[in-house]
């Protein structure tokens, strides 16, 4: 137990957005996010950070418990319409762990770990403007008032924004969410590198950038609040996102386009100086890092590894590999993967039967007719479908050489030239699944608590 009011304990500001991947200025993309850029230049940026899952609830559950999503019961989305999954034990959530240690744990804005946010165990849940979806700046303004409040206890403040998630507009066009709904200027925008340069893909990317800039404005409002109140240097700021951007072949896939995420940290404990690390990092490594930083024991359930050896320059790597998974999103699609510095291996578990409730008559028949429902709709998806897009790669095994094939288009799984490498990757994945008690190994998947 930490002593409340201990002068060495940092406040922790956890800033998280939807669906941004690494498409922000500090990672070299041509979108103006000056506040994230400043955060990186004053803090630490991890270039090779990966989510534990390319979907919302499983990814966040992994970061906030330090475990694989299947280990904590978050096989799919937490909200009712798409599954109603929940953690096996909310006492393992970071908010509760820090609260038991003397922190004030506060939630403002989005969370994706429970249908009912009160299940999570935050000490306080801040109300945000009603009458529609609050935008990132409105959420940040409410969080800023909490930062201004005096307290003799250290603070863990989770601030979540919808941006840059796609939302259904009034004309049922799934557009990126911005406060007034302005379209981005596509004239000087380049689509993501895996897409053709077309008017539709440029417009889609321009709209995405508008939503990303809104999240950046929220980051700026909160950092300026910390400067004004004199709390900046005693606050650990963590800026990240849940998974890759909501475009075909990215979000909801186990490619690097789906799993690669930003992770920028600024604050006490060595997270200063504009350092950039190329070490492999998983979201599950955040929990043990915070434990070591504030002097808490790393609990036995944690599967991640602390980043502090990197920060202390004791090592240039903390892991040889990392893992990702998807079981459910809008539809059942069980896959697992292992990634090393050079190689990616993905296995699709087509032998695992679809749970009975999903084989019954769907409650929303229109969902069954949508092509590739695990790919979010939008301008880019529409134009690809019109050209005959076959959908995400459905091969039972995929193996990529990321150094020579960073776009992950050349599947080497049937190439006998490096059979030993493939056998090693298969063994790594199997060992991880056994160690983390993955139910797919038994040929089954959990039933979604809510019918689809």
């Amino acid at each position: 137990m930490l002593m409340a009011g201990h002068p060495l304990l940092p406040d922790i500001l956890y800033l998280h957005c939807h669906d941004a991947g690494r498409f922000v200025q500090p990672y070299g993309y041509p979108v103006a996010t000056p506040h994230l850029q400043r955060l990186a230049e004053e803090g630490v940026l991890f270039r090779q950070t990966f989510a534990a899952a390319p979907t919302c609830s499983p990814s966040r559950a992994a970061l906030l418990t330090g475990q694989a999503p299947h280990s904590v019961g978050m096989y799919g989305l937490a909200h009712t319409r798409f599954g109603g999954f929940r953690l096996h034990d909310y006492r393992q959530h970071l908010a509760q762990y820090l609260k038991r240690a003397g922190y004030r744990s506060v939630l403002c804005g989005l969370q994706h770990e429970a249908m009912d946010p009160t299940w999570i165990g935050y000490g306080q849940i801040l109300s945000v403007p009603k009458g529609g979806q609050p935008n990132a700046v409105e959420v940040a303004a409410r969080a800023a008032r909490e930062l201004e409040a005096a307290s003799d206890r250290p603070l863990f403040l989770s601030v979540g924004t919808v941006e840059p998630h796609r939302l259904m507009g009034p004309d049922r066009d799934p557009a990126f969410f911005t406060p007034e709904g302005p379209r981005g200027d596509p004239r000087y925008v380049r689509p993501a590198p895996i897409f053709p340069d077309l008017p539709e893909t440029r417009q889609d990317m321009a709209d995405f950038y508008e939503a990303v800039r809104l999240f950046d404005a929220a980051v700026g409002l909160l950092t300026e609040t910390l400067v004004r109140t004199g709390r900046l240097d005693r606050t650990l700021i963590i800026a990240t996102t849940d998974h890759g951007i909501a475009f075909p072949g990215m979000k909801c896939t186990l490619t690097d386009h789906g799993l690669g995420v930003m992770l920028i940290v600024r604050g006490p404990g060595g997270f200063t100086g504009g350092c950039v690390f190329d070490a492999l990092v998983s979201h599950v490594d955040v929990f043990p890092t915070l434990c070591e930083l504030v002097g808490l024991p790393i609990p036995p359930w944690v599967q991640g590894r602390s980043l502090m050896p990197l920060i202390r320059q004791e090592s240039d790597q903390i892991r040889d590999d990392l893992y990702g998974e998807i079981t459910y999103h809008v539809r059942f699609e069980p896959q697992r993967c292992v990634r090393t510095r050079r190689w990616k291996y993905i296995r699709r578990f087509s032998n695992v039967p679809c749970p009975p409730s999903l084989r019954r008559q769907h409650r929303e028949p229109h969902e069954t007719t949508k092509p590739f429902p695990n790919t979010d709709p939008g301008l880019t998806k529409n134009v690809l479908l019109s050209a005959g897009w076959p959908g995400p790669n459905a091969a039972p095994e995929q193996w990529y050489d990321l150094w020579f094939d960073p776009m992950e288009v050349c599947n080497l799984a049937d190439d006998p030239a490096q059979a030993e490498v493939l056998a090693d990757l298969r063994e790594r994945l199997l060992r991880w699944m056994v160690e983390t008690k993955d139910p797919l190994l038994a040929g089954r998947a959990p039933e979604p608590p809510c019918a689809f």
Side-chain angles (χ1 to χ4, degrees):
M1 177 67 68
L2 300 175
M3 294 183 62
H6 192 291
L8 298 181
L9 292 181
D11 291 336
I12 301 171
L13 177 59
Y14 166 48
L15 305 176
H16 49 103
C17 65
H18 257 308
D19 301 10
R22 298 181 185 136
F23 279 73
V24 293
Q25 183 179 349
Y27 285 83
Y29 289 94
V31 53
T33 54
H35 302 295
L36 286 169
Q37 181 67 28
R38 178 183 174 187
L39 204 65
E41 291 175 357
E42 295 178 352
V44 172
L45 182 145
F46 298 91
R47 292 195 66 87
Q48 299 296 323
T49 302
F50 295 87
T55 58
C56 308
S57 299
S59 168
R60 296 164 190 269
L63 186 152
L64 291 162
T65 66
Q67 301 172 76
H70 64 260
S71 297
V72 298
M74 197 63 73
Y75 298 95
L77 298 177
H79 53 285
T80 305
R81 185 183 175 199
F82 296 139
F85 288 99
R86 58 182 297 171
L87 300 182
H88 292 318
D89 186 352
Y90 279 95
R91 292 174 298 179
Q92 295 181 351
H93 194 285
L94 181 64
Q96 284 211 42
Y97 192 63
L98 291 175
K99 185 172 71 172
R100 292 194 298 271
Y103 270 79
R104 288 191 304 125
S105 63
V106 181
L107 170 66
C108 184
L110 181 80
Q111 62 79 29
H112 229 300
E113 304 93 71
M115 283 190 288
D116 184 340
T118 63
W119 297 351
I120 299 175
Y122 282 96
Q124 184 179 5
I125 299 175
L126 303 180
S127 61
V128 292
K130 299 186 182 297
Q133 178 67 58
N135 67 59
V137 174
E138 292 171 330
V139 171
R142 179 64 187 91
R145 294 199 296 273
E146 188 66 22
L147 291 176
E148 292 170 343
S151 175
D152 62 350
R153 297 172 61 196
L155 172 68
F156 172 67
L157 175 58
S158 172
V159 181
T161 73
V162 172
E163 297 85 359
H165 199 283
R166 293 182 187 267
L167 291 181
M168 196 65 72
D171 57 356
R172 299 198 64 77
D173 176 31
F176 288 102
F177 179 73
T178 57
E180 297 84 20
R183 304 300 294 270
D185 185 347
R187 293 176 298 170
Y188 312 112
V189 173
R190 181 178 179 181
I194 66 173
F195 301 121
D197 189 350
L198 302 171
E200 296 88 348
T201 57
R202 290 196 297 272
Q203 183 67 68
D204 216 11
M205 186 58 67
D207 293 347
F208 166 79
Y209 282 164
E210 285 299 310
V212 171
R213 284 194 280 266
L214 195 61
F215 172 68
D216 184 71
V219 173
L221 191 156
L222 291 168
T223 53
E224 289 161 9
T225 300
L226 291 172
V227 171
R228 187 176 67 255
T229 58
R231 298 171 64 174
L232 179 65
D233 289 335
R234 65 181 180 92
T235 300
L236 187 77
I237 304 173
I238 303 168
T240 189
T241 186
D242 46 8
H243 47 66
I245 65 178
F247 284 75
M250 305 182 93
K251 174 183 177 178
C252 213
T253 75
L254 295 179
T255 65
D256 279 11
H257 312 301
L259 292 173
V261 291
M262 64 175 169
L263 179 62
I264 304 169
V265 185
R266 182 206 188 279
F271 292 91
T272 57
C275 296
V276 174
F277 290 100
D278 286 305
L280 287 177
V281 172
S282 171
H283 261 169
V284 299
D285 300 330
V286 172
F287 195 119
T289 302
L290 294 178
C291 289
E292 185 172 355
L293 181 65
V294 304
L296 281 171
I298 297 174
W301 67 74
V302 167
Q303 299 165 4
R305 304 176 186 181
S306 173
L307 302 175
M308 295 310 296
L310 299 175
I311 300 302
R312 294 190 295 262
Q313 300 184 10
E314 297 170 356
S315 174
D316 60 0
Q317 299 290 330
I318 60 167
R319 53 169 65 245
D320 297 323
D321 52 30
L322 45 77
Y323 300 86
E325 65 181 86
I326 181 171
T327 306
Y328 296 94
H329 189 56
V330 177
R331 286 294 177 264
F332 181 62
E333 197 173 10
Q335 301 170 66
R336 302 290 186 262
C337 78
V338 56
R339 190 199 195 280
T340 67
R341 289 182 62 81
R342 179 167 179 177
W343 308 104
K344 165 76 69 59
Y345 172 70
I346 303 171
R347 179 179 171 186
R348 182 180 291 267
F349 286 81
S350 54
N351 62 312
V352 176
C354 183
S357 68
L358 303 188
R359 297 196 295 268
R360 295 197 301 264
Q361 179 66 34
H362 288 258
R363 295 186 177 184
E364 298 177 277
H366 71 279
E367 290 286 354
T368 67
T369 62
K370 288 183 178 179
F372 317 116
N374 279 349
T375 299
D376 287 13
L379 291 174
T380 300
K381 182 179 181 180
N382 291 344
V383 73
L384 294 183
L385 286 172
S386 69
W389 180 52
N393 193 327
E397 287 189 302
Q398 299 169 54
W399 172 36
Y400 301 107
D401 184 339
L402 299 173
W403 286 11
F404 293 101
D405 181 23
M407 295 296 143
E408 297 174 63
V409 295
C410 184
N411 186 1
L412 303 174
D414 295 326
D415 185 349
Q418 298 196 62
E420 290 184 7
V421 176
L422 180 56
D424 174 65
L425 294 172
R426 286 172 174 156
E427 175 59 30
R428 288 179 191 237
L429 184 63
L430 175 62
R431 183 169 59 248
W432 172 74
M433 293 177 70
V434 169
E435 291 173 351
T436 57
K437 299 180 174 58
D438 194 326
L440 294 189
L441 286 178
R444 60 180 177 81
E447 196 89 4
C450 300
F452 278 48

